[in-house]
Amino acid sequence: EPEVTQTPSHQVTQMGQEVILRCVPISNHLYFYWYRQILGQKVEFLVSFYNNEISEKSEIFDDQFSVERPDGSNFTLKIRSTKLEDSAMYFCASSADGASSSEQYFGPGTRLTVT
Amino acid sequence: AQKITQTQPGMFVQEKEAVTLDCTYDTSDPSYGLFWYKQPSSGEMIFLIYQGSYDQQNATEGRYSLNFQKARKSANLVISASQLGDSAMYFCAMSLKRGNYQLIWGAGTKLIIKP
């Protein structure tokens, strides 16, 4: 069964460093998402992406964040200068279409720890 | 404001009993979707069941069913014949048309199945 993959599974970085989280969505999906979940808290939407551009972004997704689809398979989230409060689990998701009924398939997540 | 509320932070249930996890939502959009996801201790997000706002019948997927009461704006998850492997966090989420139907999440319910 096709699945979303994410690398690395765990990343430790120092405050102020740049990190790139990588995702490979399901191959025929067209819509891509990043969510984050701070430990013990609810999942929060960060950004959605379609047709090589951002469709929607939340207040969390400030200028420190960027997303890119550098080739036909990868979808990346970059945090330019990490802060302690960026420590969280980051989930990538993809869906076949943009309908409200469309299931978003989640990757296993990347646990980011900023020290 | 769009919102998902899960009022049960934690539940203990005896193995083989049925369990109902509560979810209420708030939106003025006529078209939306409701999802339940399971998050085991390993952290991945597993899709369980979906209910569309226009669906006339309650969704069912194996041991999972969704008790959808539109007038009350509730979408409770029912797990029949619970198993030890059902112990996990359970999240209710709603898809809203903002960009590409981002998911709005509840705070989750930690379910522990007792042998």
Side-chain angles (χ1 to χ4, degrees), chain A residues 73-107:
Chain A
S73 59
N74 289 285
F75 179 51
T76 62
L77 174 70
K78 183 194 290 187
I79 309 175
R80 263 179 266 285
S81 178
T82 49
K83 303 189 271 276
L84 293 176
E85 54 264 38
D86 293 327
S87 294
M89 181 76 99
Y90 288 80
F91 289 102
C92 171
S94 68
S95 63
D97 58 54
S100 66
S101 61
S102 191
E103 179 189 340
Q104 293 183 21
Y105 291 78
F106 281 76

Side-chain angles (χ1 to χ4, degrees), chain B:
Chain B
Q2 285 84 356
K3 192 178 169 184
I4 289 275
T5 302
Q6 292 181 255
T7 56
Q8 305 152 310
M11 285 187 74
F12 287 89
V13 172
Q14 202 68 40
E15 190 182 7
K16 297 181 186 169
E17 288 185 353
V19 56
T20 297
L21 305 181
D22 294 342
C23 173
T24 57
Y25 60 92
D26 190 16
T27 181
S28 54
D29 292 357
S31 176
Y32 52 89
L34 295 156
F35 298 79
W36 277 92
Y37 284 85
K38 172 183 178 182
Q39 186 179 40
S41 56
S42 49
E44 72 267 33
M45 204 64 81
I46 302 166
F47 166 77
L48 295 178
I49 196 166
Y50 164 81
Q51 180 85 42
S53 58
Y54 295 117
D55 292 346
Q56 296 296 312
Q57 300 210 339
N58 287 341
T60 60
E61 288 284 348
R63 293 188 299 114
Y64 304 108
S65 60
L66 202 151
N67 184 2
F68 182 46
Q69 298 191 36
K70 196 170 182 177
R72 293 186 178 182
K73 293 189 174 179
S74 75
N76 297 340
L77 176 72
V78 180
I79 306 173
S80 63
S82 57
Q83 302 169 356
L84 295 178
D86 293 332
S87 294
M89 282 291 288
Y90 288 80
F91 291 95
C92 180
M94 177 168 60
S95 60
L96 294 173
K97 180 59 175 178
R98 290 177 183 171
N100 299 338
Y101 283 104
Q102 60 171 277
L103 291 177
I104 307 294
W105 297 77
T109 295
K110 186 173 179 69
L111 176 64
I112 296 174
I113 307 297
K114 299 182 293 184

